[in-house]
Amino acid sequence: MDITIGVVVVTESRYFFETGLSVLSDIRGELFQRVTIDSDISAEQLTPSHHPVYDEAREKAIRFMTKRKERVSMRVVQASTLSEATSKIVSLAKSISDNELFQVGMIYLDYANPKYEMLSIKDIDEEVSSFYNILNENNISAFYSSFSVAAFTLPCKKKIRYQPMEFIECSLPHNRAILQAELLCLWMDFIEMALVNRRVKPEIKGFANNTLGQLLCGYLTDTSKDNWNGYYFTGSLVSNLINHLEIEAKRTGIKLLRGPSEHSLACGAMANWQLYKKAFLIVVTSGMIDEFKGTLANLREARAKGFIVCAENRPNQWFAFQGTVSKDEDTRDVLKAKRIPHIFMDDSESIEEDFKKAIELYNSNQGPVVIMATQAVLDASGIINLQLPAVENEYSDLPLEPELIQLLDEVMDIINRGPEKIVWQCGPLSDNEHELVLSIAERAGIALVDSLNYPGSVSKYHNGILNKNYLGTLAVYGYSPRVYNFLHTKDKLNSTSEQCLFFLKSKLHQAATPFSDGRLKRRLNIVQLTNNAEHISPYTDYPLVMNLYTFLRYVDAHLDVSVELKNKRMSAIQCVNETSSDVVSKLPKIPISPNYFFSRLNSLFEKMIVEDNYDYTGLYDVGRCGISAVRNVVRTRRGFSGWYGRGLMGDALQSVVSLASTCPTHLVAFIGDGAKGLVPDVLPSLVENALTYPECLDKNITIFYFMNGGHSVINTYQERILFNRTSRQMRLININTPDWEEQIYGLKVKSRTIDVFDHDMLRAALQEKNCINLFSVIVSHNNEGDGISLATATGWQRDSVKNTADTINSDKVEKQLEPV
C-alpha cells in the first residue's frame, strides 16, 4: 500500500513558504518518491542557500535517508490559518483512494507576524490540541508526538515565559540560511523520532493504565469523594504514574498541583488539610523523601490523611543512583524513628496485598502513609478491582464513661457558675464545632482567643458580623494586648479564682501561651481537651480526653448561665482597651516600622470588611512580621500558620502555590525576608498552576514580603532578653528590584516596592481579582511590642495613661504626621 505523509504549513508569507520548500527540494531523494503541493501561495524561487552549518546538515540528512528502505510520498498543504488547514486535511483524507494510506506528519506554524503578538503559548497549545482532536474525530491518522509541530514567532520580550505543551517554540531568524538549517533540523528530528521509528504508530492515543495510580486514585475518590488533591514533582521512575494522575485529574475534576520543590508540595498538602480537611496524594522520584523536611513531621502531628509515593531502588541493587535503601543506609529506619507510617513495595505481583496494608496504615489516623515503590511496581499496568470494607467514622459517638461525665459536670459548674473571666483558646474547628463555639460563647459570656498555630480558628469577624466575644491571640509570641490586659490586672496575673483558661483541641504545647511552666502549674486554672490521652499536659487541672464536638454538644445541652453572670463576663471583655498604646504604631517614620504598617493595614482591613464585604484567608510565615500580622491584623476566617509544629520558615510562603487554586477567598500572605530567602520563588509555580486551572484564580493573591534586612525575632531576643548587640548572624541582604507588571492569559502579575503606606492603592490592589500582587515592604527593625516577649508588654510606650493620640481619631493623627 502506498503511504502519503502530509506536511502542513500555516503561513501567509511567501518567504517562509518558499524557504521551507527549498529545504525539501534540497533533500528530496529516494525516501520521498513524489511531492505534491496544495497551496494558496505559488512558490517560484527555490534558490538553495550555502552556509557551512546548512551544508553539513543537508549532507547528513541525505546520507541518513539514502540508507532507509521506506519509500513514501509527501503532500504539502499550505493555508493561512490552522483552521483552514484542518478543513483542507479533512477534505483531502476523504478523497484519498482505498489503496493509499494518508498520515499527517510535520506541522509548521508561521506566527512571526505582529497580528499574532497577543497570541499566548497556551493559546497556541489549545489551537494545536483542537487540530488533533478534529483529526481523531475524523479517523485521520497522525504522528502526534513532541516532534510533530513547530511554531515560529517573533522574539519573546515578556518577563514571564513558559514551555509549550503541544509544539516546539522557535523564533524566526532573519538569515535565510539559518532558517533553512533550522527547518531541516526540525524535519529530520521528526523523520527519525516519528516517521521511521518503529515504536511510534501514526495514531492519536492516550497513555496506558498504571496499576498503582489506579488503586490510589480509586481509593481516595471512594473515601474522600472530590475532597482530595494530587501533587507531584517529576522524575524518570515516577513519570508513568504521573501521566496516569494527569488523566485521572481531567476525568474526575481533582486538582493536580505542582510546586517549585518537593517540600512545597508537602506545605500545600499541610495547608489544605488544616484548612479544608483535604486528603492528598504526593508523588516524587528516588531519594526525595528527605526533601519534605520538617513538614513531614508536621503532617504526622496534624494526623493528615494522605499518601506520599517515593520511587526507590530494588533491594538487591548495588548502591543505586539516588537510592535510600542500601548496605550503608535505610530510610525506613528514619521513618520508623519519626513514627511515619510507611510500606515498601518491590514486587509487582504483590501490589494488591501491599496496597491493602497501606490502606490499614492510612486508616490508623497516624498521619500520611509513605509508599516506597520500585520501578517494577511503578510501571505495572494491570487493572486490579479492589474490594475494601467500609471505613468506620472516626468521630462516631461512644457512650461516655462515668468518670468522664463526673469531670464534665465539674467543668460545667465552672462554665455555669464559675469565675467572671473564662477564656477558650480554640484549636482547629470544623464548621459544626465553630457554630457551637460561637453560640455557647455568646450565651455564656466566654472570651474567645485563637493561637499562633491556628490563627483565625475564631476571629473578630464571622460572615461579616463582629464577634463581640473575640479577644485576640494567645501564644508564646504575638499575644494580643487585649488578651494580656484581660488576664492581668496592673501587670499581675489574675488569681485562679478570678479566671479559667480552656485549651480546646490542644496539646497545650509551649507555643500555646507566653507563660512559664511555673505559672501554668500554679497560677492558672486550666481545662484541656484532646482526643489523645498522651497529650494531657502536666499543668492541666481538668483533663478531658474526648472529641470536641461531643464536648460542645454536652455543654450546649447543659448550659445554664445566669443573665447577671453573662453580663458581668461580657462587660469584662468589652472593658479591655483595643487601641494600640505604643507611640511608634502612630509614627510614619522612614523606613516604616512594623508597628505602624500593621496598625494602618488593620484599619484598612476593618474598613474593607465592613464596607466592601471583604473576606480573605491569611498565611503567616515564621518571623517578626508574621507575628505582627497574627497579632494586629483582623481576620475573617481561619488562616494557615508556618508556626505550626516545627515552626519552619518558608512553609507558609510555599503553601501559597496550592492554596491559590483551592482557597475560596482572597489570599494574603505575610512573609519575612528571612523566609523568602530560604525557599524557592513561588511565582513560576503559581503561574504554571494558573495555566492549568485558570478558573481557580478568580480571586486576589497578595504576598507581602517584609524587607528589614535581618532575622528580627532572634535580634529582639539578643537585644531585649540577653542585652547583646546585633551581630552578623542576624543580618540579611535585601536586593531591590524595579517595579513591573505583566498579564499572562488573563492573569495580572504586579511586583512593587512599598516604602510608604498608600491606603487607596492597597485598598484597590487587595481586591483586584485575577491578580497576583508581590509587594516588597521596606520596614525597619525594632524591639517594641507586638507580643514577641512578655518583657515588651510593660515597656514605656505601653503606659496606659490617656494621651492626645488616644482621645482623638488616630487616622487624623497619622495623616497630620505623614511625611511630605
Side-chain angles (χ1 to χ4, degrees):
M1 181 179 289
D2 296 332
I3 299 176
T4 298
I5 300 298
V7 178
V8 179
V9 183
V10 175
T11 184
E12 295 177 333
S13 165
R14 180 183 298 276
Y15 163 74
F16 185 89
F17 187 55
E18 288 183 345
T19 302
L21 288 182
S22 70
V23 173
L24 292 179
S25 176
D26 286 349
I27 63 171
R28 181 178 174 182
E30 297 192 28
L31 179 61
F32 297 105
Q33 294 180 324
R34 177 166 52 92
V35 177
T36 306
I37 299 174
D38 177 2
S39 72
D40 302 326
I41 300 173
S42 59
E44 299 172 357
Q45 298 181 5
L46 304 183
T47 309
S49 295
H50 295 286
H51 185 282
V53 175
Y54 178 60
D55 291 343
E56 180 184 353
R58 181 178 56 202
E59 183 181 343
K60 289 182 176 180
I62 292 172
R63 283 207 305 267
F64 175 84
M65 291 190 295
T66 302
K67 297 176 183 177
R68 308 306 306 174
K69 295 180 180 179
E70 299 91 344
R71 295 295 178 265
V72 297
S73 299
M74 184 189 301
R75 183 121 184 180
V76 179
V77 177
Q78 177 270 327
S80 297
T81 66
L82 189 55
S83 178
E84 290 180 18
T86 306
S87 299
K88 281 190 173 184
I89 293 292
V90 172
S91 298
L92 178 63
K94 291 177 180 178
S95 65
I96 296 287
S97 62
D98 293 337
N99 63 347
E100 186 177 358
L101 180 62
F102 176 73
Q103 299 168 351
V104 175
M106 189 76 188
I107 301 170
Y108 295 95
L109 304 175
D110 173 20
Y111 288 159
N113 188 310
K115 75 177 186 178
Y116 294 114
E117 234 176 347
M118 299 306 294
L119 207 60
S120 71
I121 288 174
K122 188 175 181 183
D123 291 331
I124 302 174
D125 270 340
E126 291 178 350
E127 191 178 33
V128 172
S129 181
S130 175
F131 169 79
Y132 282 111
N133 285 338
I134 294 172
L135 295 190
N136 196 32
E137 290 167 4
N138 287 274
N139 297 314
I140 300 173
S141 297
F143 289 96
Y144 185 25
S145 72
S146 303
F147 306 92
S148 302
V149 184
F152 286 82
T153 61
L154 295 172
C156 179
K157 297 178 182 179
K158 294 183 178 180
K159 188 174 182 69
I160 300 174
R161 63 178 302 272
Y162 52 95
Q163 181 183 8
M165 295 288 99
E166 304 289 344
F167 65 96
I168 303 165
E169 184 181 20
C170 308
S171 184
L172 187 67
H174 296 296
N175 186 297
R176 184 172 183 270
I178 294 175
L179 175 58
Q180 283 184 306
E182 188 169 1
L183 290 170
L184 177 56
C185 289
L186 288 167
W187 176 242
M188 292 307 300
D189 284 344
F190 166 73
I191 289 177
E192 182 179 36
M193 300 304 298
L195 181 59
V196 301
N197 190 336
R198 296 184 183 277
R199 294 177 299 171
V200 177
K201 303 298 180 184
E203 57 186 356
I204 304 169
K205 62 178 182 178
F207 296 101
N209 180 62
N210 183 278
T211 306
L212 187 57
Q214 171 229 325
L215 291 172
L216 287 164
C217 293
Y219 180 77
L220 286 168
T221 300
D222 287 345
T223 55
S224 300
K225 307 307 178 188
D226 61 351
N227 195 41
W228 66 276
N229 289 333
Y231 304 87
Y232 69 82
F233 199 97
T234 189
S236 301
L237 295 185
V238 293
S239 55
N240 279 342
L241 173 57
I242 291 170
N243 283 338
H244 183 87
L245 298 185
E246 294 276 11
I247 295 167
E248 281 297 296
K250 290 177 181 177
R251 185 180 68 83
T252 62
I254 295 301
K255 290 186 178 63
L256 192 56
L257 302 170
R258 298 180 59 192
S261 65
E262 293 86 354
H263 174 224
S264 71
L265 308 181
C267 295
M270 180 72 184
N272 275 285
W273 171 257
Q274 284 207 352
L275 296 181
Y276 314 120
K277 282 291 182 269
K278 283 186 178 288
F280 57 88
L281 169 60
I282 300 176
V283 178
V284 298
T285 195
S286 302
M288 297 302 120
I289 185 66
D290 297 331
E291 294 300 322
F292 292 113
K293 308 186 188 310
T295 308
L296 183 59
N298 287 350
L299 285 165
R300 176 194 52 76
E301 182 171 327
R303 299 297 189 262
K305 296 182 78 69
F307 296 97
I308 300 174
V309 178
C310 297
E312 189 50 74
N313 56 281
R314 303 189 312 273
N316 61 350
Q317 196 166 355
W318 185 254
F319 291 107
F321 175 62
Q322 291 188 310
T324 65
V325 177
S326 70
K327 292 180 179 296
D328 282 352
E329 63 172 324
D330 195 328
T331 296
R332 291 171 292 184
D333 293 339
V334 178
L335 294 172
K336 184 177 180 181
K338 288 180 176 288
R339 300 183 183 177
I340 306 290
H342 60 279
I343 187 168
F344 185 69
M345 299 176 67
D346 65 333
D347 184 357
S348 59
E349 298 299 319
S350 304
I351 290 179
E352 182 173 358
E353 181 183 344
D354 288 341
F355 189 70
K356 286 181 178 179
K357 293 176 184 176
I359 296 302
E360 289 178 12
L361 294 174
Y362 182 89
N363 290 324
S364 68
N365 297 316
Q366 297 303 306
V369 178
V370 174
I371 297 176
M372 304 172 71
T374 62
Q375 185 168 9
V377 172
L378 290 168
D379 287 345
S381 58
I383 296 176
I384 296 177
N385 294 315
L386 193 64
Q387 299 295 322
L388 294 169
V391 180
E392 293 184 10
N393 183 358
E394 60 180 299
Y395 295 114
S396 57
D397 282 338
L398 297 173
L400 299 177
E401 298 292 334
E403 295 83 357
L404 182 56
I405 293 176
Q406 181 180 347
L407 191 58
L408 281 170
D409 289 340
E410 292 178 25
V411 172
M412 286 308 306
D413 191 59
I414 292 172
I415 294 172
N416 287 332
R417 283 169 287 280
E420 291 184 10
K421 292 185 176 182
I422 293 181
V423 177
W424 283 11
Q425 185 191 71
C426 299
L429 303 178
S430 68
D431 290 342
N432 290 336
E433 291 167 347
H434 189 257
E435 293 300 326
L436 271 175
V437 164
L438 294 184
S439 172
I440 292 167
E442 182 182 6
R443 289 180 285 148
I446 295 170
L448 301 176
V449 299
D450 55 356
S451 64
L452 199 58
N453 277 357
Y454 303 107
S457 58
V458 286
S459 54
K460 185 174 180 179
Y461 287 90
H462 177 58
N463 294 331
I465 299 172
L466 180 68
N467 178 6
K468 294 180 180 179
N469 294 78
Y470 178 73
L471 266 184
T473 302
L474 176 65
V476 64
Y477 303 130
Y479 57 88
S480 302
R482 291 191 76 206
V483 176
Y484 177 87
N485 292 329
F486 188 79
L487 297 175
H488 295 76
T489 301
K490 295 182 179 180
D491 294 323
K492 289 187 178 180
L493 198 60
N494 299 326
S495 68
T496 55
S497 63
E498 295 176 277
Q499 61 191 18
C500 182
L501 273 64
F502 284 59
F503 294 88
L504 305 179
K505 271 193 179 179
S506 171
K507 290 193 293 190
L508 222 175
H509 39 0
Q510 187 179 11
T513 80
F515 303 120
S516 65
D517 292 355
R519 286 194 167 197
L520 288 169
K521 184 69 177 176
R522 293 183 291 274
R523 300 290 303 280
L524 289 165
N525 201 17
I526 292 175
V527 177
Q528 181 190 1
L529 183 145
T530 173
N531 59 10
N532 188 335
E534 294 181 358
H535 292 168
I536 293 295
S537 82
Y539 324 116
T540 301
D541 302 292
Y542 300 90
L544 299 173
V545 181
M546 60 191 304
N547 80 61
L548 178 59
Y549 191 53
T550 301
F551 168 75
L552 292 173
R553 285 192 297 172
Y554 191 91
V555 174
D556 186 55
H558 296 82
L559 196 62
D560 184 24
V561 177
S562 68
V563 174
E564 181 184 6
L565 179 56
K566 175 201 165 182
N567 290 341
K568 285 182 178 179
R569 287 175 175 172
M570 291 306 299
S571 177
I573 294 170
Q574 291 163 9
C575 283
V576 184
N577 192 3
E578 192 170 9
T579 305
S580 297
S581 59
D582 58 312
V583 176
V584 72
S585 67
K586 305 174 182 68
L587 186 64
K589 59 184 285 294
I590 300 293
I592 307 172
S593 70
N595 313 59
Y596 177 83
F597 183 86
F598 285 107
S599 174
R600 295 298 304 274
L601 190 66
N602 179 65
S603 298
L604 173 59
F605 272 48
E606 291 234 30
K607 196 176 188 71
M608 292 193 300
I609 291 166
V610 173
E611 297 180 3
D612 305 334
N613 296 317
Y614 182 71
D615 187 14
Y616 81 102
T617 299
L619 308 178
Y620 308 90
D621 222 312
V622 176
R624 160 67 190 278
C625 289
I627 290 172
S628 297
V630 169
R631 180 183 190 263
N632 296 304
V633 182
V634 62
R635 286 177 283 283
T636 58
R637 58 176 59 224
R638 185 173 158 201
F640 176 66
S641 172
W643 291 95
Y644 180 87
R646 294 289 197 270
L648 300 174
M649 293 176 68
D651 270 24
L653 174 56
Q654 293 297 292
S655 74
V656 173
V657 176
S658 61
L659 286 177
S661 297
T662 59
C663 178
T665 68
H666 297 312
L667 206 60
V668 183
F670 303 94
I671 315 295
D673 48 5
K676 180 178 186 287
L678 197 64
V679 294
D681 183 8
V682 297
L683 180 59
S685 296
L686 274 172
V687 173
E688 202 284 331
N689 286 333
L691 292 171
T692 306
Y693 304 107
E695 71 282 358
C696 294
L697 267 80
D698 59 341
K699 62 173 73 76
N700 180 271
I701 299 164
T702 295
I703 303 177
F704 286 110
Y705 292 119
F706 295 95
M707 320 298 283
N708 66 4
H711 293 290
S712 297
V713 176
I714 310 302
N715 212 342
T716 291
Y717 177 73
Q718 285 284 316
E719 294 177 338
R720 191 73 191 246
I721 307 301
L722 302 182
F723 306 107
N724 289 334
R725 294 178 57 188
T726 296
S727 64
R728 182 184 177 191
Q729 63 173 305
M730 277 80 80
R731 184 173 64 192
L732 295 170
I733 305 300
N734 297 153
I735 308 296
N736 292 332
T737 57
D739 294 355
W740 60 272
E741 181 178 323
E742 190 165 301
Q743 280 203 345
I744 177 168
Y745 208 72
L747 176 66
K748 186 180 291 185
V749 182
K750 298 178 180 179
S751 179
R752 183 177 301 178
T753 298
I754 296 175
D755 55 8
V756 296
F757 191 93
D758 188 333
H759 179 282
D760 294 338
M761 181 278 289
L762 286 172
R763 185 171 187 174
L766 285 161
Q767 298 184 74
E768 183 177 2
K769 291 188 176 181
N770 296 103
C771 180
I772 298 174
N773 293 315
L774 308 173
F775 291 149
S776 297
V777 186
I778 309 301
V779 293
S780 61
H781 164 73
N782 66 38
N783 302 318
E784 175 46 47
D786 274 1
I788 294 177
S789 162
L790 275 174
T792 68
T794 57
W796 71 271
Q797 294 193 41
R798 304 290 164 176
D799 193 336
S800 60
V801 175
K802 290 284 184 179
N803 55 40
T804 306
D806 290 324
T807 56
I808 64 175
N809 188 294
S810 60
D811 282 342
K812 290 182 180 178
V813 173
E814 289 158 1
K815 196 169 185 66
Q816 292 168 5
L817 293 173
E818 287 286 5
V820 178

